[in-house]
Amino acid sequence: STLFAGEKHRAFASTGMNERSSRSHTIFRVTVESRRRKQNDAISDDDASVSSDDDDDDEGDGAVRVSTLNLVDLAGSESVRHTGATGDRLKEGAKINQSLLSLSRVIAALGSPSRTHINFRDSKLTRILQPSLSGNARMAIICCATPSEMYLEETRSTLQFASRAKLVKTRATINEVLDE
């Protein structure tokens, strides 16, 4: 139901390319915190006489594991010559394209063997996604493209982005915070 509530706040408008064009990026973030149960909590009263051989186990140490899942739906890049956008739609399209360009630059820098400074500050999108893009994460990207020759340039750009994204190497590790 939270997803549906967020969907209601999402901005859509009609353009020359798409009757229901997304006018914003959407990020749905879920943070999960988990902690191991203490041995006494995990065993029912009938099994209370059973003892564990793992006396060295760290159960009950107060460690909390923290995970974050980001579901990101990016608004598609738009060519003014295809959308016919003017006024507010033109400004929205420019902001969308600027944000996508910043993300593309970050992805290219992260996938580059000669990793130089990576500027996450160019857009709100890259700042929000910085923890996920920086390495301690698992990442999956789904890119949508059209087979229409009319939008060949947009499809080519999407496929280039996907190719650069495949070069990004991340190493997910367990995030544990000790609860005091």
Side-chain angles (χ1 to χ4, degrees), residues 103-118 120 129-130 132-135 139 164-165 167-170:
L103 178 61
S104 185
R105 286 181 179 152
V106 166
I107 293 289
L110 288 169
S112 172
S114 61
R115 225 171 159 172
T116 58
H117 172 71
I118 299 166
F120 288 98
L129 296 177
Q130 182 176 0
S132 298
L133 295 171
S134 294
M139 186 169 56
R164 286 190 297 269
L167 298 174
V168 175
K169 302 292 183 221
T170 60

Side-chain angles (χ1 to χ4, degrees), residues 22-160:
S22 176
R23 308 313 299 161
S24 61
H25 305 307
T26 302
I27 301 173
F28 181 72
R29 177 177 284 171
V30 178
T31 301
V32 177
E33 295 182 3
S34 65
R35 143 186 358 236
R36 287 187 180 203
R37 290 185 181 185
K38 293 182 181 175
Q39 190 67 25
N40 296 345
D41 294 342
I43 299 175
S44 68
D45 291 337
D46 296 337
D47 298 332
S49 62
V50 177
S51 64
S52 172
D53 293 336
D54 287 335
D55 291 336
D56 296 335
D57 198 22
D58 62 342
E59 291 182 331
D61 65 355
V64 178
R65 288 187 177 179
V66 181
S67 299
T68 302
L69 171 67
N70 290 311
L71 302 174
V72 182
D73 183 10
L74 300 174
S77 65
E78 297 182 349
S79 169
V80 175
R81 66 185 156 99
H82 289 183
T83 62
T86 58
D88 287 343
R89 297 295 157 267
L90 181 62
K91 290 177 187 175
E92 289 170 350
K95 290 286 186 185
I96 290 167
N97 289 344
Q98 182 181 12
S99 177
L100 291 172
L101 180 61
S102 295
L103 178 61
S104 185
R105 286 181 179 152
V106 166
I107 293 289
L110 288 169
S112 172
S114 61
R115 225 171 159 172
T116 58
H117 172 71
I118 299 166
N119 192 356
F120 288 98
R121 294 182 176 201
D122 278 349
S123 79
K124 289 179 184 178
L125 177 66
T126 54
R127 271 185 273 154
I128 291 169
L129 296 177
Q130 182 176 0
S132 298
L133 295 171
S134 294
N136 186 15
R138 289 189 181 159
M139 186 169 56
I141 296 178
I142 300 171
C143 295
C144 299
T146 178
S148 171
E149 281 190 42
M150 187 173 174
Y151 305 117
L152 188 62
E153 186 60 33
E154 286 80 2
T155 299
R156 188 177 67 75
S157 175
T158 299
L159 294 175
Q160 285 176 334

